[in-house]
Amino acid sequence: MDSLDTVVLSRWQFALTAIFHMLWPVLTTGMSIYLVVIEGLWLKTKNLAYYHHARFWSKLYILNFGIGVASGLPMAFQFGLNWAPFSEAVGDFFGTVLGFEGTMAFMLEASFLGIMIFGWQRVPPVMHWISTICVAFGANLSTFWILSANSWLQTPAGGVFVEGKFRVQDYFQAIANPFMVKSFAHMFFATLETSLFVIGGISAWYLLQNRLPNFFTKSLKVVLVMALVIAPLQVFVGHLSAEQVYHYQPAKLAAMEALWETVPAGTPADWSLIVLPNEAAEANPLEVKIPGLLSYLLELKPKLDTPILGLKEWAPSDRPHLIGLIYYSFRLMVAIGLYLAALAIVTIVVWWRTGLEGDRLRNYKWLWWGWIFAGPLGYLAVEAGWIVRCVGRQPWIVYGQLRTAEAASNLPPQVVLFSLSGLVALYTVFFFAALFFGSRIIQKGPNVALPVPGLQNAEQLEIRIKLAEHQPDRRPLETQQ
């Protein structure tokens, strides 16, 4: 126990809870928008297939929502238990924003979720659709507040630090800090894109099995129309997010590119495809570069107007470490984003040329495998992006103001190790439970025998009308007096 470090263990615990928890709201926030679209199509077209799609995909939504709530609770408690000095230093703003997320966004989503789940036969179809819209709005409003709080950690604004405590002077400026808009947009599109390719991957699995092909071709086509817009747009917004790192967090950019030496203004900057960073030697023994590409990516020019600072410009205690993790996490995220955009475009071309109907579906097994492979990639991209965002911010928990080592609670290492071990066991149970119930939902498939709101009432009314129709009196005449 003497060799264990409380700060390191607390960081491991927060990384575990953040990485695991993020798996679930990523799907719920994006899938809620898909449910709004699919339910709206049902109301617009009266096509019952869209209604059964809404009922089927909402089961996966509910499962993810439940696991997300249960896995997210330890994150909130950690701020007071493992990061008490941090909470004391920035709680006036950070705690307020997290309070907004809980009372404003989560409660909105949770309240209308009850109507979305149980209200199919209890409220009019339009009212149910409005409830689904409120669920989606609440889920994405939650993303807004979380990204506002985290962006403030990246670019603190709206106040000053006085004797180690942040004093808020302008809440609106703090909420709308320099990182907030692009960071929220990037995460918004990330959750939606991940959800679309999960739905598309599951639909492709059904098509590969030749099971309910007409039903799941419809869901795949809705996904395609949305993904054709979202996937390329996400690549563009991701590029804008990288540009803001260039302007506000030069040490993180140096880590993302594994740059040890400064690239001066007036010279081209190379972009590396592969490196083998050596932090002890402050060098890269192995590099595979594309000459001049980084200059175009950052400034759209062959030569830089502003220098790119290398990691050597900062003391080792003031710059990020784990350079290899940051470098390859960034490239993994970019590669996945490009793959998903390319897959959407290729599938649209196939759809345009062949129609994706009937027996032709069997000719594209390679395409369905591409979608199945893409299903989990969105999760990897999101997790990789957050690794770059948070590990690249180190050694600061509030960039340039408060160090991570100063923000951790002074707890015995064995206490943190005990809670970390307990969370590993708990999250393992959650993960396999989600896999078990999720696979059951997918294996069982949609229930097309579910009663349809409105249609069932019309049938019951028709039965009552028929029962009330006049029947001629067939009794003998003498008995009809």
Short mmCIF file of all heavy atoms in Angstrom, two decimals, residues 47 154 209:
data_model
loop_
_atom_site.label_atom_id
_atom_site.label_comp_id
_atom_site.label_asym_id
_atom_site.label_seq_id
_atom_site.Cartn_x
_atom_site.Cartn_y
_atom_site.Cartn_z
N ASN A 47 -48.02 4.92 -41.84
CA ASN A 47 -47.42 3.62 -42.14
C ASN A 47 -47.10 2.91 -40.83
O ASN A 47 -46.29 3.38 -40.02
CB ASN A 47 -46.14 3.82 -42.96
CG ASN A 47 -45.57 2.51 -43.47
OD1 ASN A 47 -45.70 1.46 -42.84
ND2 ASN A 47 -44.95 2.57 -44.64
N GLN A 154 -11.57 23.54 -19.69
CA GLN A 154 -10.56 23.70 -20.75
C GLN A 154 -10.19 25.17 -20.95
O GLN A 154 -9.01 25.50 -21.14
CB GLN A 154 -11.11 23.14 -22.06
CG GLN A 154 -11.73 21.76 -21.99
CD GLN A 154 -10.69 20.66 -21.87
OE1 GLN A 154 -9.53 20.84 -22.24
NE2 GLN A 154 -11.10 19.52 -21.35
N GLN A 209 -29.11 -11.80 -42.06
CA GLN A 209 -29.82 -13.02 -41.70
C GLN A 209 -31.04 -13.26 -42.59
O GLN A 209 -31.71 -14.28 -42.44
CB GLN A 209 -30.27 -12.94 -40.23
CG GLN A 209 -29.17 -12.70 -39.23
CD GLN A 209 -28.24 -13.88 -39.08
OE1 GLN A 209 -28.69 -15.02 -39.14
NE2 GLN A 209 -26.96 -13.62 -38.90
#
